[in-house]
Amino acid sequence: PDMPGEVVAARLGSVNFGDTSERGLSDPVPSTTADILLGPDGRIALVFPDAEGDLAASWELKTRRIVAALPIMSRSDVIGFTASGTELIARVAGRAERLRLSDGAVFELPDGVATARRLWHSKTGRFLAAVAADPSVLQVVEIMTGETEARLTPSGSLEQVAISDDASLVATGEQDRIVRVWSTRGENIVAQVPVDSGVAQIAFAADQLLILPESGGLVSWSLERPEIPSRWAGEPVWSSTHDRQTGLTLIGSARDGFRLHDLVERSDRA
């Protein structure tokens, strides 16, 4: 929490996790690091191995010690953190489960979610959107209670899904090149935003819906001014991260490098 991210990465890169006997762990932890994922509060890092068969580990940054081996092997198994930041949603042996970071304990999710073909995770860590046995139904579920918030019926195959912080809105990017915004309270479409290609990424940020088309550029759609989408032209975007509260978004593309875009003011900062 009190060290810059680049320093954390550098220190993690030099740590040897070979000896687990002193830490009381019965499962192996990675001896070399392939990938790192920081928890939402910056206190826990997930360390993924680069050796086949090794398990990931949760690493407490403040004490610089491993606290648990986790039954996952790569970052692709991770769906996201829960709202508390103390648990992880991940695929374990083909099922989506909740994993407690402190000891690696596994908790079951509802069957319709655990066995879902595809899952999307809200940034707040409270909700999941799942496509289960019926591919025409998108189910929005509250993670800790297992209660269904909505059952939506997209018209085509889904490319991307985003869930607003309170799950009142869900955005779906579909193969017909239209991003649809749904109200989960009425389970109806409240807006449609056309794009000129497939959808690489969609996300809610501040009062905006951020859309990254595969063909490049950026579309930001204001929830308060839905009649005028803001479009930024550019090379295909290969990286994007945003702050949900302020709407500031860091966008990376092959030609333009990185730019800091203000979704609310609809202008580049740097």
Side-chain angles (χ1 to χ4, degrees):
D2 38 52
M3 62 180 78
E6 60 268 21
V7 177
V8 174
R11 291 184 180 178
L12 279 171
S14 65
V15 170
N16 185 347
F17 297 118
D19 180 11
T20 63
S21 58
E22 294 181 359
R23 303 181 180 90
L25 296 176
S26 58
D27 294 318
V29 292
S31 56
T32 53
T33 302
D35 207 346
I36 301 164
L37 179 62
L38 287 177
D41 60 2
R43 298 181 182 278
I44 293 287
L46 299 184
V47 182
F48 297 94
D50 65 356
E52 186 175 349
D54 281 352
L55 297 179
S58 55
W59 197 69
E60 195 174 64
L61 295 181
K62 198 142 187 116
T63 61
R64 297 178 177 86
R65 68 185 184 91
I66 296 213
V67 293
L70 304 174
I72 53 178
M73 296 183 181
S74 72
R75 188 163 177 172
S76 62
D77 294 329
V78 174
I79 298 162
F81 290 92
T82 59
S84 65
T86 60
E87 294 181 352
L88 186 72
I89 305 297
R91 291 195 182 275
V92 180
R95 289 177 60 90
E97 311 279 13
R98 284 170 38 216
L99 305 180
R100 191 162 57 202
L101 297 177
S102 61
D103 58 9
V106 178
F107 303 93
E108 292 187 352
L109 291 170
D111 280 343
V113 175
T115 58
R117 301 178 183 183
R118 302 185 69 186
L119 283 171
W120 294 269
H121 180 259
S122 72
K123 297 296 183 184
T124 58
R126 289 185 57 201
F127 304 99
L128 286 172
V131 175
D134 186 349
S136 65
V137 175
L138 180 68
Q139 184 179 3
V140 182
V141 176
E142 208 277 333
I143 293 173
M144 300 306 293
T145 65
E147 293 182 0
T148 297
E149 299 288 320
R151 291 172 62 86
L152 310 177
T153 53
S155 58
S157 178
L158 295 173
E159 294 182 339
Q160 295 292 336
V161 172
I163 309 170
S164 66
D165 287 358
D166 61 358
S168 62
L169 296 174
V170 173
T172 58
E174 303 175 34
Q175 285 187 339
D176 61 1
R177 299 183 178 183
I178 294 177
V179 174
R180 294 174 173 84
V181 182
W182 303 73
S183 167
T184 56
R185 295 187 175 94
E187 298 186 350
N188 62 307
I189 297 172
V190 295
Q192 300 186 78
V193 183
V195 292
D196 57 6
S197 70
V199 178
Q201 182 182 344
I202 50 179
F204 288 96
D207 67 342
Q208 309 281 320
L209 177 65
L210 174 66
I211 305 169
L212 299 178
E214 291 178 347
S215 60
L218 164 76
V219 178
S220 60
W221 180 79
S222 171
L223 303 181
E224 296 180 352
R225 293 175 290 171
E227 68 281 357
I228 313 175
S230 174
R231 299 176 186 270
W232 167 74
E235 289 290 297
V237 172
W238 51 264
S239 177
S240 172
T241 186
H242 64 276
D243 182 86
R244 297 197 320 276
Q245 280 71 41
T246 65
L248 290 178
T249 301
L250 187 65
I251 306 165
S253 67
R255 184 187 67 186
D256 300 318
F258 284 97
R259 60 174 62 199
L260 187 63
H261 187 79
D262 189 325
L263 292 177
V264 177
E265 298 296 330
R266 300 189 177 192
S267 62
D268 287 340
R269 290 280 191 93

